[in-house]
Amino acid sequence: MMIHADKCIELGLPVPESYHNQLSYVLCVITQGIKLNTRLARYIGIHNLHSLASTLKYKGYKFKVEHGRVPCPFTGKIPSHPVDILSMSYEQIKAYKNERSRQEN
C-alpha cells in the first residue's frame, strides 16, 4: 500500500522516503514527536494503524496508544467515535534514538 506524499505534506507530516514502508513510516512520524491517529493515517493511505501498532509493540518499541476524538481530514468534522492515537514521550524518543545509535556503532 502506498503512502501519499502529497497528503503528508498537506498535513505537515514528514515526506515518506523511498525506503519507507507503512511500519517504518509510522515509526518515523512518532519518533519525531508527532501524534499519528487513525484518521490521519487513513488519509495518507495507511488503513491498518491498529495492526501496525501491534507489530511495533511486538518488536519491542515503546510508545503510547491513546483513544480520543479527532478531526477527520476528509470532512474537517470531529466524528463521535474515538480512534487510536499513537505517540512517543520525550523519554521514549530519547531511548529510541540512543538504542538506534548503539546499533549503528
Side-chain angles (χ1 to χ4, degrees), residues 20-58:
H20 278 138
N21 58 32
Q22 291 185 354
L23 194 64
S24 64
Y25 184 74
V26 168
L27 193 57
C28 168
V29 170
I30 65 175
T31 58
Q32 291 187 34
I34 300 169
K35 290 185 177 193
L36 185 64
N37 67 63
T38 301
R39 297 194 198 289
L40 293 179
R42 285 186 181 147
Y43 189 69
I44 63 172
I46 299 172
H47 296 278
N48 57 343
L49 187 61
H50 62 285
S51 297
L52 296 174
S54 295
T55 302
L56 289 171
K57 276 213 188 298
Y58 176 77

Side-chain angles (χ1 to χ4, degrees), residues 19 31 95-105:
Y19 55 83
T31 58
Y96 167 79
K97 289 183 177 176
N98 286 340
E99 180 62 29
R100 193 157 174 220
S101 66
R102 265 198 299 266
Q103 290 175 356
E104 290 174 0
N105 292 331

Side-chain angles (χ1 to χ4, degrees), residues 3-16:
I3 300 170
H4 303 292
D6 57 334
K7 292 183 177 180
C8 292
I9 292 167
E10 177 187 330
L11 295 173
L13 297 173
V15 177

Side-chain angles (χ1 to χ4, degrees), residues 70-83:
V70 297
C72 173
F74 289 104
T75 65
K77 297 179 180 164
I78 301 175
S80 60
H81 297 80
V83 296

